[in-house]
Amino acid sequence: MLTVKCPNCGRGVEVSSKFLGRQVGCVNCRHVYILSEQYHDFRYKQMVIFNTVTVCLILLGIFIKIELDYEFVGKSVKAANKFVGKKMDDLFKKEESSDELDFFDFDRAYGTIADKFNRMQPIVFPEHKGRIVEWGGEVLGVYAVDDHLYGNYFIRFRQSQGSSSAVTVYFLDDQAEGLASIQKGHYLKYQGVIVSAAYGNTDHILRRGKILE
């Protein structure tokens, strides 16, 4: 069955498809017309409406997807920024960490005296580099240098007679006045940031030194 509208009164009526191409009359206004012409015109309008609605729905779907993707991407970017920020914070906190690290545990981690003499390059484990430590030792000497990366003043310490490793601690220029009165043989507590461990016949190296009371 086909649904067609009378071109005269506009009333819709269902007719059999076998009447296509034939002359028919409207049951409402008695207007006579060729069914095929009216059917094709009506089907064309239906197709136009259907296609228009379909295109609108597709565009609406695309718009909704873009909005959802934008929201998702926005959340992903925020999450990524938060993750990177946290990693950077952790990195800086690690640089400033001051949890306890015993000197002898640190010293033993880098092997025997013979092992140290076999090393050709400075070494420090990732878990040690950048940590703030508080140790104490006998002053072997106070020295001044020109334009050193870690500072222009340093003190060499020997932790104890039981360790062959010395510690070189670099101080910034604003610490110079406090270093003037320090003499060889004094036992002092100090603080510093680990740079590298002893290798060959060199010392463990600390920077940003500070003499503790």
Side-chain angles (χ1 to χ4, degrees):
M1 298 296 289
L2 302 173
T3 301
V4 296
K5 289 185 178 181
C6 174
N8 184 53
C9 66
R11 180 172 178 175
V13 62
E14 290 187 352
V15 297
S16 174
S17 58
K18 68 181 181 180
F19 289 103
L20 285 173
R22 297 184 181 182
Q23 199 174 52
V24 296
C26 177
V27 296
N28 182 50
C29 68
R30 306 298 180 179
H31 179 71
V32 178
Y33 57 95
I34 302 299
L35 181 59
S36 60
E37 296 177 359
Q38 303 304 317
Y39 170 71
H40 285 302
D41 182 62
F42 181 64
R43 291 292 295 171
Y44 174 76
K45 292 179 180 178
Q46 282 186 318
M47 291 176 61
V48 170
I49 295 173
F50 175 79
N51 290 337
T52 302
V53 172
T54 301
V55 170
C56 290
L57 290 175
I58 292 174
L59 292 176
L60 179 62
I62 293 174
F63 177 76
I64 293 175
K65 186 177 186 304
I66 291 174
E67 286 294 316
L68 292 176
D69 288 346
Y70 178 79
E71 182 179 359
F72 174 77
V73 171
K75 290 181 179 179
S76 299
V77 171
K78 288 181 180 179
N81 286 338
K82 184 176 181 181
F83 176 79
V84 172
K86 184 177 184 303
K87 288 298 182 181
M88 292 298 293
D89 289 342
D90 291 343
L91 182 63
F92 286 119
K93 286 179 181 178
K94 181 179 179 180
E95 172 72 13
E96 300 297 331
S97 64
S98 59
D99 47 328
E100 294 292 333
L101 176 60
D102 181 75
F103 168 79
F104 294 101
D105 290 339
F106 175 79
D107 192 48
R108 282 192 296 268
Y110 295 90
T112 63
I113 297 175
D115 185 29
K116 289 173 184 174
F117 272 90
N118 287 332
R119 291 198 179 117
M120 300 302 296
Q121 297 294 330
I123 186 173
V124 63
F125 300 141
E127 61 267 28
H128 291 156
K129 185 176 178 62
R131 289 180 63 173
I132 297 175
V133 293
E134 295 182 0
W135 294 335
E138 177 187 353
V139 175
L140 298 178
V142 181
Y143 307 89
V145 292
D146 293 328
D147 300 323
H148 193 278
L149 176 64
Y150 301 132
N152 295 327
Y153 301 90
F154 69 90
I155 298 178
R156 293 187 70 234
F157 292 93
R158 179 169 57 201
Q159 301 305 115
S160 73
Q161 297 296 333
S163 172
S164 60
S165 297
V167 180
T168 294
V169 184
Y170 285 90
F171 296 82
L172 299 178
D173 291 351
D174 59 5
Q175 301 286 319
E177 185 176 348
L179 303 179
S181 60
I182 296 176
Q183 297 180 9
K184 182 179 179 179
H186 285 180
Y187 182 90
L188 299 174
K189 289 184 178 182
Y190 58 88
Q191 181 186 85
V193 178
I194 295 175
V195 175
S196 65
Y199 69 103
N201 59 353
T202 62
D203 302 344
H204 299 309
I205 305 297
L206 306 183
R207 65 183 178 89
R208 282 171 45 193
K210 180 179 178 182
I211 300 299
L212 304 176
E213 297 295 334

